């Protein structure tokens, strides 16, 4: 059983993907070729913003966004401890300090009610993560940010394609950042990412930063990075984009059916909660269980793969030991880290396989 089934997707899109990649091989513009600009135009239109800047990874997207905002040494950025390390890592890489705020137990996203107390004179941005495929409460977060004159960077590595009140993830804040890692809802065949904004000046700065701070050949007004999205990855994404809406819809149906079937099965586990007005692309379908290791072992014996996203919050990672935040600092995030478990999830998950997963889960969780 596949945890994420990229082989079926490729089989369905093989002609389009192969054709797009062959076109790049034929013209030979492997760096910043025409497919990059074509993809940026298409993605900006999809999200509903003026600018999309293709970059080398979701991690680079976060870095470039913060560099464009001038975030650096001794600044503070408010974020969540319950996320992949890249979120906090890029803050620290710039010499800034990640200021962690606990999460909402229902949706695993940053709790807006705790943000204001964390703001100090050194705060330069708020970076919520739209975890597991559902947008954070960006209406509330943006309102707080506006009161304090702060930009908001949505880490939307897992939520591209999700909506909040009819508006799409990556178009809900000052800058939206996403990842096109192969397992993401819209994935390429290597590393890739993008930044989105309606701000013309920020877009200009991000475009320059991704090419070593260059505004024209060998002229560098900014310090930048080598953060370009390569042309072959843009070609793969262009081939996948026409079917993306159908895959997003399938993810929504499969996620809803998981919740329905798990409830019917009597499995003793908590399923993901969707906030009002939100959709989810279920980058992971994550449940909460007691005795996680035992449950995972039982599912493994049944031939069902699982994963844990994430087993240790950032404030308890050795890399952030200098923050001085021990166990008990963020009890909701710490409790989630002990209990979350992700089930197989992709747009091609058929009902028979899903029923088999739920039946095994129910047996393990009774």
């Amino acid at each position: 059983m596949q945890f994420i089934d990229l082989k079926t997707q490729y089989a369905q899109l093989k002609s389009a993907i192969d054709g797009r990649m062959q076109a790049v091989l034929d013209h030979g513009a492997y760096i910043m070729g025409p497919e990059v600009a074509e993809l940026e135009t298409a993605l900006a239109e999809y999200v509903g913003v003026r600018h999309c800047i293709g970059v080398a990874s979701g991690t680079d997207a976060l870095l470039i966004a913060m560099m464009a905002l001038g975030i650096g040494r001794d600044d503070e950025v408010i974020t969540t401890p319950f996320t992949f390390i890249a979120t906090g890592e890029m803050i620290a890489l710039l010499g800034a300090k990640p200021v962690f705020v606990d999460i909402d137990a229902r949706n695993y996203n940053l709790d807006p009610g705790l943000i204001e107390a964390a703001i100090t004179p050194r705060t330069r941005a708020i970076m919520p993560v739209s975890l597991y495929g559902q947008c954070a409460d960006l209406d509330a977060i943006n309102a707080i940010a506006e009161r304090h004159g702060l930009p908001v960077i949505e880490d939307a590595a897992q939520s591209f394609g999700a909506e909040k009140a009819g508006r799409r993830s990556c178009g809900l804040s000052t800058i939206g950042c996403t990842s096109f890692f192969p397992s993401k809802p819209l994935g390429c065949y290597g590393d890739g990412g993008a930044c989105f904004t309606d701000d013309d000046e920020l877009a200009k700065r991000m475009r320059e930063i991704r090419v070593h701070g260059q505004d024209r050949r060998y002229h560098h007004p900014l310090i930048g990075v080598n953060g370009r999205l390569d042309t072959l990855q843009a070609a793969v994404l262009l081939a996948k984009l026409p079917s993306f809406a159908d895959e997003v819809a399938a993810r929504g149906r499969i996620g809803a059916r998981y919740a329905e079937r798990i409830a019917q099965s009597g499995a003793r586990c908590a399923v993901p909660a969707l906030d009002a007005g939100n959709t989810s692309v279920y980058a992971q379908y994550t449940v909460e269980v007691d005795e996680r290791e035992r449950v995972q072992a039982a599912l493994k014996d049944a031939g069902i793969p699982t994963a844990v996203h994430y087993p240790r919050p950032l404030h308890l990672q050795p890399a952030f030991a200098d923050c001085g935040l021990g166990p008990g600092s963020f009890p909701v995030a710490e409790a989630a880290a002990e209990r979350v478990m992700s089930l197989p999830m992709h747009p091609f998950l058929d009902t028979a396989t899903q029923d088999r997963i739920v039946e095994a889960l129910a047996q393990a969780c009774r």
Side-chain angles (χ1 to χ4, degrees):
M1 184 186 297
Q2 299 291 316
F3 187 73
I4 296 170
D5 189 357
L6 297 179
K7 292 180 180 179
T8 296
Q9 184 192 54
Y10 174 63
Q12 292 188 2
L13 301 175
K14 185 178 188 306
S15 177
I17 292 170
D18 290 357
R20 280 285 190 173
M21 294 184 76
Q22 187 61 53
V24 177
L25 297 173
D26 289 341
H27 66 57
Y30 299 115
I31 302 296
M32 298 302 288
E35 286 81 0
V36 174
E38 182 184 353
L39 178 69
E40 290 173 338
T41 298
L43 292 179
E45 182 178 351
Y46 177 82
V47 169
V49 296
R50 286 202 296 274
H51 304 284
C52 168
I53 300 92
V55 298
S57 68
T59 302
D60 277 332
L62 299 175
L63 179 67
I64 290 167
M66 286 187 285
M67 290 176 72
L69 290 165
I71 293 168
R73 189 160 302 281
D74 298 326
D75 292 334
E76 295 177 354
V77 178
I78 293 172
T79 193
T80 167
F82 193 60
T83 180
F84 183 59
I85 195 167
T87 311
E89 181 183 38
M90 291 302 98
I91 297 168
L93 190 66
L94 288 171
K97 176 184 177 182
V99 175
F100 298 119
V101 166
D102 214 344
I103 60 172
D104 185 320
R106 292 184 66 259
N107 55 32
Y108 308 106
N109 287 328
L110 200 62
D111 186 341
L114 302 176
I115 292 174
E116 207 140 18
I119 294 173
T120 76
R122 290 186 173 179
T123 305
R124 292 292 307 277
I126 304 171
M127 187 187 290
V129 176
S130 294
L131 201 68
Y132 298 154
Q134 177 179 195
C135 294
D137 188 353
L138 283 156
D139 291 340
I141 294 169
N142 286 336
I144 294 165
E146 187 174 357
R147 286 199 295 272
H148 293 270
L150 297 170
V152 176
I153 304 166
E154 182 192 10
D155 181 342
Q158 298 180 14
S159 61
F160 192 75
E163 295 185 5
K164 184 172 188 62
R167 298 171 61 209
R168 288 194 168 122
S169 181
C170 288
L172 302 167
S173 60
T174 314
I175 302 173
C177 299
T178 200
S179 168
F180 301 128
F181 187 78
S183 63
K184 302 300 184 187
L186 180 62
C188 56
Y189 288 164
D191 280 310
C195 299
F196 297 83
T197 189
D198 273 323
D199 187 303
D200 297 342
E201 181 57 31
L202 283 176
K204 178 178 181 294
R205 290 174 66 84
M206 288 189 286
R207 287 194 179 97
E208 292 172 0
I209 289 167
R210 74 171 170 182
V211 287
H212 301 283
Q214 178 176 273
D215 63 351
R216 59 187 184 274
R217 192 167 176 82
Y218 298 129
H219 186 261
H220 306 264
L222 301 171
I223 295 296
V225 296
N226 180 6
R228 302 166 298 215
L229 176 66
D230 78 63
T231 312
L232 280 167
Q233 301 305 337
V236 171
L237 292 165
L238 282 166
K240 288 187 174 189
L241 197 54
S243 61
F244 184 57
D246 289 341
E247 292 188 11
V248 167
R251 285 176 173 275
R253 289 193 303 271
I254 292 164
R257 190 173 188 275
Y258 254 138
E260 179 184 4
R261 292 291 292 113
I262 289 171
Q264 292 169 349
S265 75
R268 294 172 57 190
C269 68
V271 300
L274 268 182
D275 289 346
N278 276 12
T279 66
S280 178
V281 289
Y282 296 106
Q284 286 85 35
Y285 191 87
T286 302
V287 299
E288 280 194 40
V289 297
D290 296 323
E291 300 179 74
R292 182 174 64 202
E293 288 187 7
R294 181 187 62 77
V295 173
Q296 283 190 284
L299 291 175
K300 183 179 180 181
D301 288 344
I304 297 166
T306 60
V308 177
H309 306 93
Y310 299 94
R312 180 179 289 191
L314 297 193
H315 67 288
L316 300 180
Q317 292 286 353
F320 291 108
D322 59 355
C323 291
L325 298 165
S329 299
F330 305 103
V332 183
E334 291 167 34
E338 294 288 333
R339 292 172 47 83
V340 294
M341 182 186 73
S342 299
L343 302 174
M345 180 69 197
H346 52 81
F348 313 103
L349 189 65
D350 61 73
T351 57
T353 303
Q354 193 175 28
D355 288 344
R356 178 184 158 200
I357 295 165
V358 172
E359 182 179 349
L361 178 68
Q363 290 293 327
C365 289
R366 283 183 180 142

